[in-house]
């Protein structure tokens, strides 16, 4: 069921699947992406495994509120507070959190700041590091792979002006971040991008999210104190958040379980969806 709820002083769009009496799984999407990027077959597979699933739009994306970043800047800690406010609004005392990319950083902040509200954390293609505000690349861990550099430079120098240019650029970017072990279906990717534009025209929180991530605190020492179960999922060919970030996350968090995804890039391939669902269900079965 889709709904708009008040959380942390703003309005967030969310959608839930399954029986609220089952263990709750909160899905947190990454930089600039809408909650609907969590495809329904993934949500349904978790529901079939006996989980109550919630996906939502972070602020500045989809149908959630926009924020004037100049007057009201925010960080990952604030986005984590949004997610906790969403749990409050839905009457969920505690949830298993699954975050992808920047969503994993939000999940880390949720676990650090609100340990009684997070039953477990799945950090997927994410990082314990923070981007440098000048370069927007990683501060201390290995940086983006060269395949990303020319696309990022082109976007900065000549941003798309029309819908068609935007779609074409996003298709190229999606192809560049896809690993060699994933089949790239251009028609499906193009359709997903166009559907996102139709759902929320003119809504793109990429810039605000980028600044928020780069102005956030270093979480590494704080992550050492987590006591919840933590699953680290990461593609071995991720060019945006290289695999070394997952190894560092697994090293920092006591008893974290690292599951490499061979041949996977910075993407969510359907081919390994069953494996990922199986891992998440195993983590959250308690």
């Amino acid at each position: 069921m889709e709904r708009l709820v008040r959380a942390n002083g703003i309005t967030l769009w969310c959608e839930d699947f399954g029986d609220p009496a089952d263990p709750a799984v909160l899905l947190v999407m990454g930089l600039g992406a809408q909650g609907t990027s969590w495809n329904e077959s993934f949500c349904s597979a978790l529901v079939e495994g006996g989980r109550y699933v919630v996906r939502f739009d972070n602020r500045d994306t989809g149908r959630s509120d926009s924020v004037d970043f100049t007057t009201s800047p925010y960080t990952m800690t604030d986005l984590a507070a949004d997610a906790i406010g969403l749990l409050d609004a839905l009457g969920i005392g505690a949830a298993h959190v699954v975050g992808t990319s920047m969503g994993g950083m939000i999940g880390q902040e949720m676990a650090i700041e609100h340990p009684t509200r997070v039953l477990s954390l799945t950090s997927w293609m994410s990082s314990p590091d923070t981007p440098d505000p000048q370069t927007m690349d990683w501060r201390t861990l290995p940086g983006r792979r060269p395949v990303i550099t020319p696309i990022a430079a082109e976007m900065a120098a000549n941003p798309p002006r029309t819908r068609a240019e935007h779609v074409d650029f996003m298709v190229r970017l999606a192809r560049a971040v896809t690993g060699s072990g994933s089949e790239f279906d251009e028609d499906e990717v193009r359709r997903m991008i166009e559907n996102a534009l139709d759902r929320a025209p003119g809504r793109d929180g990429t810039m605000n999210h980028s600044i928020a991530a780069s102005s956030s605190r270093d979480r590494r020492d704080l992550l050492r104190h987590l006591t919840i179960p933590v699953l680290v999922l990461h593609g071995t060919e991720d060019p945006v958040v290289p695999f070394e970030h997952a190894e560092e996350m697994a090293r920092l968090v006591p008893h974290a379980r690292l599951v490499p995804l061979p041949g996977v890039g910075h993407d969510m391939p359907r081919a390994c969806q069953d494996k990922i669902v199986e891992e998440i269900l195993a983590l959250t079965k308690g």
Side-chain angles (χ1 to χ4, degrees):
M1 181 173 67
E2 295 186 54
R3 64 184 90 179
L4 294 172
V5 301
R6 293 293 293 175
N8 196 27
I10 61 175
T11 298
L12 298 177
W13 173 91
C14 67
E15 185 174 23
D16 59 337
F17 305 81
D19 186 347
D22 289 334
V25 175
L26 180 68
L27 304 178
V28 189
M29 188 37 69
L31 189 146
Q34 300 181 33
T36 49
S37 297
W38 296 103
N39 70 74
E40 291 195 11
S41 67
F42 179 78
C43 297
S44 296
L46 290 173
V47 170
E48 290 170 6
R51 305 296 183 268
Y52 171 56
V53 179
V54 179
R55 62 181 183 177
F56 71 105
D57 291 332
N58 285 307
R59 64 168 75 180
D60 280 330
T61 60
R63 295 176 180 169
S64 290
D65 274 353
S66 292
V67 177
D68 185 340
F69 200 89
T70 303
T71 59
S72 302
Y74 56 85
T75 65
M76 295 297 101
T77 307
D78 298 304
L79 293 174
D82 291 352
I84 294 296
L86 174 63
L87 296 182
D88 291 338
L90 297 178
I92 299 173
H96 300 280
V97 176
V98 179
T100 181
S101 195
M102 186 192 78
M105 298 164 69
I106 296 171
Q108 293 166 31
E109 284 287 356
M110 292 176 69
I112 292 166
E113 287 292 307
H114 310 274
T116 63
R117 307 298 299 278
V118 179
L119 299 173
S120 72
L121 171 65
T122 299
S123 184
W124 183 1
M125 57 177 157
S126 191
S127 175
D129 201 2
T130 53
D132 182 275
Q134 300 301 318
T135 66
M136 298 310 295
D137 207 346
W138 300 104
R139 293 177 192 258
T140 59
L141 293 175
R144 297 187 300 258
R145 300 307 191 216
V147 68
I148 299 299
T149 305
I151 298 178
E154 178 184 338
M155 178 65 173
N158 186 28
R161 293 166 296 179
T162 67
R163 175 187 171 105
E165 288 178 352
H166 178 79
V167 171
D168 287 344
F169 174 82
M170 294 303 294
V171 169
R172 287 177 52 211
L173 179 61
R175 185 188 297 276
V177 302
T178 298
S180 64
S182 304
E183 180 180 353
F184 184 76
D185 187 335
E186 180 171 334
D187 290 338
E188 181 180 5
V189 170
R190 186 174 295 273
R191 182 167 55 251
M192 289 173 59
I193 295 167
E194 290 177 339
N195 287 343
L197 291 174
D198 290 340
R199 179 173 178 264
R203 297 297 311 282
D204 183 4
T206 300
M207 181 57 70
N208 285 357
H209 287 178
S210 296
I211 300 171
S214 67
S215 59
S216 295
R217 64 185 176 180
D218 189 312
R219 297 177 300 280
R220 281 172 290 190
D221 284 343
L222 298 168
L223 290 169
R224 299 179 195 274
H225 301 289
L226 293 187
T227 59
I228 59 172
V230 173
L231 171 66
V232 182
L233 297 170
H234 214 102
T236 59
E237 296 182 9
D238 192 330
V240 180
V241 188
F243 188 71
E244 291 90 339
H245 292 239
E247 294 176 317
E248 176 72 352
M249 180 73 181
R251 185 187 69 81
L252 289 171
V253 180
H255 312 299
R257 171 174 160 78
L258 172 59
V259 177
L261 303 174
V264 174
H266 200 73
D267 58 333
M268 303 167 71
R270 299 290 180 96
C272 63
Q273 179 170 292
D274 289 349
K275 175 179 176 60
I276 290 168
V277 168
E278 180 182 351
E279 290 287 350
I280 293 172
L281 290 178
L283 180 74
T284 62
K285 67 182 178 181

